[in-house]
C-alpha cells in the first residue's frame, strides 16, 4: 500500500450503508462515509472524480446486476464494494449464493481499478446482532478470502468497538449516525494509505449514564412503529425501500464541495 497515494477517482458500490443513510443533510439528502471520503480525496487531487452507485435496500444479486458492470466500466482508481449484509438479515438466506455473487462482483471489479476496497460491516450491539452473527461472520470469511485472492483491502468495521456502540446508530437501529459515518470514512482513508486524521476512530466512546426504563420503553415503541413494522411489511410483500430510486451519484464526475 502506498503512503499518501494520489488517487484521482472513486466509485462506491453498495446499498444504504454506502448511500449514506442516516447522515442527513439540511436539504434532506444523505451524505455518508463515501461522500466524506471523496471530499478528503478531492482535496488532495485536483480534478478528482466521484460516483456513488449505491441504492438503499439492495441485495447482493441486485448490486451485481445493476451496479458492478457500470462501476467496472468507469475505470476508477478506487472502487469500494459493500454488499451482502441485507441478504443475511432476511429470514431465509442462501449463503452459498451470496458467496458466489460476491465472488462474481470481486472478479469483475478487481481488474478494472487500482485498488478495490471491501469491508467487514459494523454491527450494533443487541439481540439483532446476536441472532444474525453466524451469517455475518460467514459473510466476512468470504470477504477476507476474496480480498486475499484478488489484492483487495479489507476495512474491519466489525471489529471496531466504537461502531458497536448503540449511540453510533440512528433511531432505526439499522444505519449509522453522522458520527458513525465520519469514523467509517476515517477507517477507509487510513486503509488507503493516508496519514490518520483520527487515529482513535475505533476506540470506544466515553461512557454516559444509560437512559431510564421509561425512556428505553418509549424508544422501543417508537422504533417498532416507525421502523420495524414497515420493514417487516416490506419483507412480507417482497418490496424494498430502494424500489424505483436511482443511484445516488450515477456518473463519474468532478467532485469537491467544501459545504458538504
Amino acid at each position: 500500500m502506498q503512503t499518501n497515494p494520489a488517487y484521482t477517482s472513486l466509485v462506491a458500490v453498495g446499498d444504504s450503508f454506502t448511500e449514506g443513510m442516516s447522515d442527513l443533510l439540511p436539504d434532506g439528502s444523505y451524505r455518508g462515509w463515501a461522500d466524506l471520503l471523496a471530499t478528503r480525496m478531492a482535496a488532495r487531487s485536483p480534478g478528482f472524480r466521484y460516483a456513488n452507485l449505491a441504492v438503499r435496500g439492495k441485495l447482493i444479486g441486485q448490486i451485481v446486476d445493476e451496479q458492478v458492470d457500470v462501476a467496472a466500466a468507469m475505470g476508477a482508481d478506487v472502487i469500494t464494494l459493500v454488499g451482502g449484509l441485507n441478504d443475511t438479515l432476511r429470514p431465509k438466506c442462501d449463503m452459498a449464493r451470496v458467496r458466489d455473487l460476491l465472488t462474481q462482483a470481486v472478479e469483475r471489479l478487481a481488474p478494472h481499478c487500482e485498488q478495490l476496497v471491501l469491508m467487514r460491516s459494523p454491527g450494533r450491539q443487541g439481540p439483532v446482532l446476536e441472532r444474525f452473527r453466524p451469517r455475518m461472520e460467514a459473510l466476512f470469511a468470504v470477504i477476507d478470502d476474496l480480498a486475499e485472492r484478488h489484492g483487495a483491502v479489507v476495512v474491519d468495521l466489525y471489529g471496531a468497538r466504537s461502531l458497536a456502540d448503540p449511540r453510533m446508530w440512528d433511531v432505526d437501529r439499522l444505519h449509522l449516525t453522522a458520527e458513525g459515518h465520519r469514523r467509517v470514512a476515517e477507517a477507509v482513508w487510513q486503509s488507503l494509505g493516508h496519514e490518520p486524521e483520527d487515529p482513535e476512530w475505533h476506540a470506544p466512546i466515553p461512557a454516559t449514564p444509560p437512559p431510564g426504563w421509561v425512556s428505553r420503553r418509549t424508544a422501543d415503541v417508537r422504533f417498532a412503529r416507525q421502523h420495524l413494522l414497515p420493514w417487516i411489511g416490506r419483507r412480507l410483500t417482497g418490496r424494498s425501500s430502494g424500489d424505483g430510486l436511482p443511484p445516488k451519484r450515477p456518473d463519474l464526475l468532478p467532485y469537491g464541495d467544501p459545504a458538504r
Side-chain angles (χ1 to χ4, degrees):
M1 180 65 64
Q2 303 176 58
T3 300
N4 291 322
Y7 294 120
T8 63
S9 52
L10 167 68
V11 175
V13 174
D15 51 32
S16 60
F17 175 69
T18 301
E19 184 183 345
M21 297 172 73
S22 296
D23 185 4
L24 194 64
L25 292 167
D27 65 2
S29 64
Y30 292 111
R31 181 174 52 183
W33 66 266
D35 283 12
L36 292 168
L37 177 66
T39 298
R40 288 195 191 186
M41 297 173 75
R44 288 177 175 261
S45 299
F48 181 84
R49 296 174 299 149
Y50 168 51
N52 189 326
L53 306 180
V55 178
R56 69 196 71 172
K58 294 299 182 180
L59 302 174
I60 185 59
Q62 295 169 309
I63 291 172
V64 170
D65 291 343
E66 300 168 13
Q67 301 179 31
V68 166
D69 285 344
V70 176
M74 289 179 172
D77 288 350
V78 178
I79 299 177
T80 66
L81 168 64
V82 187
L85 194 63
N86 282 336
D87 297 77
T88 69
L89 298 178
R90 295 292 176 110
K92 295 181 180 180
C93 174
D94 184 345
M95 288 302 299
R97 182 172 184 272
V98 171
R99 179 199 63 216
D100 291 345
L101 289 166
L102 270 173
T103 300
Q104 289 181 38
V106 170
E107 289 178 346
R108 292 185 198 176
L109 292 173
H112 295 282
C113 62
E114 183 176 337
Q115 184 61 65
L116 179 63
V117 177
L118 308 177
M119 296 190 197
R120 294 162 59 95
S121 303
R124 181 185 187 275
Q125 293 174 351
V128 173
L129 174 62
E130 294 309 314
R131 178 180 178 184
F132 294 103
R133 187 187 295 275
R135 289 183 184 174
M136 293 173 64
E137 294 185 347
L139 175 68
F140 299 153
V142 172
I143 289 169
D144 289 345
D145 177 64
L146 289 170
E148 183 175 357
R149 288 195 280 129
H150 294 278
V153 169
V154 177
V155 183
D156 185 15
L157 306 175
Y158 181 69
R161 292 175 62 190
S162 63
L163 295 178
D165 193 309
R167 291 171 293 174
M168 286 288 176
W169 295 76
D170 193 44
V171 293
D172 66 3
R173 305 181 184 181
L174 286 173
H175 301 106
L176 292 170
T177 62
E179 173 60 16
H181 280 284
R182 184 196 68 79
R183 291 179 184 237
V184 173
E186 176 67 31
V188 183
W189 176 256
Q190 292 183 26
S191 295
L192 287 172
H194 294 291
E195 290 294 327
E197 294 187 12
D198 177 10
E200 302 300 319
W201 70 267
H202 50 77
I205 60 178
T208 57
W213 186 89
V214 173
S215 296
R216 295 198 305 273
R217 296 294 78 78
T218 300
D220 288 343
V221 170
R222 183 181 302 114
F223 161 72
R225 183 175 63 249
Q226 296 181 359
H227 302 286
L228 180 59
L229 292 177
W231 183 85
I232 292 173
R234 291 194 296 271
R235 298 292 81 74
L236 293 175
T237 57
R239 294 177 293 115
S240 166
S241 58
D243 287 349
L245 294 180
K248 178 176 182 177
R249 185 178 169 88
D251 300 310
L252 188 61
L253 296 174
Y255 183 81
D257 182 358
R260 294 171 64 93

